[in-house]
Amino acid sequence: MASVDPFAAAGFTGHPPSLIAAWNETDLAVGMASLSDAEIERLGRMQSERRRADMAGSFVVRRRLIADLTATRPGEVSITALSEGAPVLARPPGWSVTIANKDALTLVALDRAPAEIGADVEVMRRVNWKPMLAMTCSDREHAAFIEAFEGQPDAGEAFFRMWTLKEAALKSTQRGFRAGPKAVETNVDILAAPGEGRLFAFGARFQFWTALVGEAVVSLVRKQP
C-alpha cells in the first residue's frame, strides 16, 4: 500500500502532517538492518509470529513515513521512547511524533515540538463492545452511546471511532491508557461518521480529525494552546 495522508484524502485541512501505509515484504527485506537493539529485543519477546512480523514491518515503515514527512532519509531517522513507552523522535530533531499500528498498518503524524498530539488506528471487526464501554466511558457517555447506537448497523464503526479518539487523546499525554480513558469526553454526534471538530479531555480542548482507510478507522488529535 502506497502511503497516503488519510485526513487530507477525506477532505480535511489544518491537521498535523500525517501518513499511513501497510508494510510489505520488500519493506522488511530493505529495512530490517536498520532496526535498533531495543526494537530487536522487543520483537524477540513476542510469541505470535504474525504479530512479530507486523511489528517488524511497522518499525521499518514508520521510519520511511517520518523520512517522507521531514524530507530526510530513513537511515537518518532515530526513534527512542520514554520510560512509559511514548515514542520520541531523536532525529531529525524539533518534532513531536505520534505513531500507531494495527495489523499491517502504521500511522505516523508529526508536529513542531512541543505540540501535544496523538493518533490511533483500529481495523474494524466484530467485538463485544458493551463491556468495553463500561471500562472506557463516563456514565453519561455510556448511556448516550447505548441510546444512539444499540441495534444500529453502524454501531461497530461508532465504537471504534470513540476508541481511537480516546486512544489518540491518551497518547498525546505521553502516558497512554494510564492517563485514564474516562477523562476523554466524546459526544455521539461526532461518532456516527468521519469528521473533524473539538473534544474535551484532561481539563483542555483538543482538535480532532477522524477518517476511514478501507476497513480501518484512524483518529488524530492535537491539544489546543
Side-chain angles (χ1 to χ4, degrees), residues 205-217:
R205 293 196 178 275
F206 290 75
Q207 193 168 6
F208 75 82
W209 300 263
T210 72
L212 291 175
V213 178
E215 292 298 308
V217 178

Side-chain angles (χ1 to χ4, degrees), residues 5-18 110-111 194-198 206-211 220-222 224:
D5 182 330
F7 309 106
F12 304 141
T13 60
H15 60 278
S18 310
L110 301 177
D111 208 352
E196 55 184 330
R198 287 168 176 79
F206 290 75
Q207 193 168 6
F208 75 82
W209 300 263
T210 72
L220 172 65
V221 307
R222 174 171 56 198
Q224 295 185 294

